[in-house]
Structures are given as C-alpha cells and as structure tokens.
C-alpha cells in the first residue's frame, strides 16, 4: 500500500497506520515520530524543530521536505508506505507530488479520517505516549498496566509537551487553516478516500477493500 493518511491530530492516523503495517509489511512513516526522536537525541534538526512543536505550530516545510526526500528513498519503502502526518501543508503536498513522480512512485489513495472535534479533544487530553518506543495509550480507554510505564518496552509513558490544552487548541486551529485544504487538493488529484472514522478497525477494513490489500 502507498497511502497518505490525512486527518486532524487525534483522528487516529498513527493507530490506523500501525494496524496497516501488519497487513502487508508497508512501513509507517510518521514525521512527528521522526521529529520527536531528533528532539530527544538533541540533533541539529531536533534543536530547530523543538520550539515549533512545543507550541503546537508546524515545523517549516523546508525541514520536513529535507527529511522526507531522504526517507522515501530508503529500501523499506519498496514494500509500501503509510504517510502519517505528512504532508501537512499545500506546499508539502505539491513538493511530494514532484518527489514521487521523480522516484516513479504512484500513490494508491489519500485517506481522510473524519472525526468530530469533541471526540478529538477528549482523545488528545487523555492520550499518553511512550518516550522510548512511541506506543500510544489512553488513560481512559487503553491505560498502561502500571501507571507511567510502557507495557511493551518498560519506557516512560507521559503526556506530550504539545498535549496541554493550550497547545492542543492551537494544533487544531493550525490543522483547520493549513492541513484541511489538503482534502480538496487530493480530491482534485482523484486520490481522496473519505472515511467517517468511528473505529480504527472500520477504517482498516475500508482501506483494505479499496486497495485490495
Ligand atoms: P499529531 O498528533 O498532531 O498528528 P504529530 O506527531 O504528527 O502530531 O506531530 C507533532 C508535531 O510535529 C506537529 O505539531 C508539528 O509541530 C510537527 N510536525 C509533524 N509533521 C509535520 C509536517 N508534515 N509538517 C510540519 N510540522 C510537522
């Protein structure tokens, strides 16, 4: 599968991507995860990205495109890829189009996960993330067995710096302004697949039907 996953923060892009990787070995590429690793390791990229991320703002397109140009050339992408959190702006989408055409790669679909705002807000404020392996938990619906400790790798499970109420509200505004226009962009490209994303399982089934995976 070669898919773009669109949808507001908290729409379930990461969860759906993780489920899909198990279907056919496509690799999940999350620009958010790549950036968080860079911040944690204190690389030059991480230093440049941190202030934008903590405020819930977008990292500049140039930095993101630099990451993705290299990432899409890696061998594991040959089996397929699920772009989670990228592209996030019209310029990113336009540059991705050129990049894929240069690499001779065709997308199957841009999947838009449509989730009501109240559901999103509730999910984001209760979400917790493992700082080591990126596993996602939820204090209400999917808590860790031991509070603050990852079930999978025993890493520390925390609320992300950009998951304070103020940063969340900013991320949703940024999404509406900068990323929501991508739905029309991919509609025009003939690639849009819109799904009312009630549960991740429903979304995965719909995508499998469409792509034949
Ligand atoms: P979300 O849960 O909001 O989808 P992500 O983990 O995808 O969060 O991204 C976290 C942060 O990383 C974003 O708020 C933004 O600062 C930065 N980021 C991730 N992907 C991109 C991108 N494609 N363009 C610009 N900034 C990005």
């Amino acid at each position: 599968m070669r898919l773009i996953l669109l949808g507001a923060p908290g729409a379930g892009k990461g969860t759906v991507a993780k489920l899909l990787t198990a279907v056919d070995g496509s690799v999940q590429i999350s620009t958010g995860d790549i950036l968080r690793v860079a911040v944690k390791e204190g690389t030059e990229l991480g230093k440049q990205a941190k202030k934008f991320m903590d405020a819930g703002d977008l990292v500049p397109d140039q930095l993101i495109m630099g990451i993705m140009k290299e990432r899409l050339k890696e061998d594991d992408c040959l089996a397929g890829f699920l772009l989670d959190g990228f592209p996030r702006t019209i310029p990113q989408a336009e540059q991705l189009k050129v990049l894929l055409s240069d690499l001779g790669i065709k997308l199957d679909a841009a999947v838009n996960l449509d989730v009501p705002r109240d559901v999103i807000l509730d999910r984001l404020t209760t979400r917790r993330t493992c700082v080591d392996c990126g596993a996602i938990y939820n204090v209400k619906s999917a808590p860790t067995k031991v509070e603050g400790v990852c079930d999978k790798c025993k890493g520390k499970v925390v609320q992300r710096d950009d998951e304070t109420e103020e940063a969340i509200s900013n991320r949703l505004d940024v999404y509406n302004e900068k990323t929501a226009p991508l739905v029309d962009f991919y509609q025009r490209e003939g690639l849009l697949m819109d799904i009312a994303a009630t549960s991740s399982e429903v979304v995965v089934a719909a995508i499998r039907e469409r792509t034949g995976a």
Side-chain angles (χ1 to χ4, degrees):
M1 281 178 268
R2 294 185 180 82
L3 299 179
I4 292 174
L5 298 171
L6 295 172
K13 299 184 295 292
T15 308
V16 165
K18 285 192 176 76
L19 291 170
L20 288 173
T21 56
V23 170
D24 72 346
S26 302
V27 61
Q28 174 190 11
I29 303 179
S30 155
T31 38
D33 285 349
I34 294 172
L35 291 168
R36 276 185 290 279
V37 168
V39 169
K40 195 171 155 226
E41 290 177 350
T43 65
E44 194 46 45
L45 168 70
K47 282 182 199 145
Q48 292 185 46
K50 186 169 172 26
K51 60 176 183 299
F52 297 102
M53 295 176 73
D54 284 353
D57 289 328
L58 291 182
V59 171
D61 289 338
Q62 219 185 328
L63 282 182
I64 298 289
M65 291 315 300
I67 298 173
M68 290 307 294
K69 270 186 189 138
E70 296 311 312
R71 185 63 189 89
L72 283 169
K73 285 181 197 149
E74 283 176 32
D75 285 347
D76 60 351
C77 293
L78 292 171
F81 51 77
L82 310 156
L83 302 185
D84 162 14
F86 170 84
R88 277 269 228 294
T89 63
I90 294 283
Q92 288 181 20
E94 279 167 349
Q95 289 178 58
L96 173 66
K97 189 176 167 183
V98 174
L99 177 61
L100 290 176
S101 134
D102 287 349
L103 295 171
I105 296 172
K106 260 191 86 174
L107 290 172
D108 295 314
V111 180
N112 182 40
L113 307 184
D114 201 1
V115 181
R117 189 178 167 109
D118 54 333
V119 176
I120 296 262
L121 274 175
D122 186 57
R123 275 191 198 164
L124 289 179
T125 46
T126 53
R127 180 154 88 175
R128 300 292 181 270
T129 308
C130 174
V131 292
D132 287 330
C133 75
I136 292 169
Y137 298 92
N138 185 291
V139 288
K140 284 195 207 158
S141 60
T144 51
K145 291 200 185 85
V146 179
E147 200 187 324
V149 181
C150 181
D151 293 351
K152 294 179 185 132
C153 79
K154 303 278 175 254
K156 210 167 137 196
V157 173
V158 299
Q159 183 161 28
R160 274 166 38 182
D161 287 342
D162 63 356
E163 283 177 353
T164 61
E165 242 173 87
E166 196 188 344
I168 287 170
S169 150
N170 188 39
R171 276 161 69 203
L172 290 177
D173 290 344
V174 169
Y175 172 79
N176 286 329
E177 187 191 332
K178 305 264 175 61
T179 310
L182 294 184
V183 172
D184 281 345
F185 179 93
Y186 286 110
Q187 173 90 63
R188 285 196 298 277
E189 296 284 311
L191 286 169
L192 186 69
M193 179 182 178
D194 225 344
I195 304 180
T198 42
S199 83
S200 316
E201 285 73 23
V202 170
V203 175
V204 169
I207 291 173
R208 291 188 70 169
E209 198 179 310
R210 155 104 178 211
T211 60

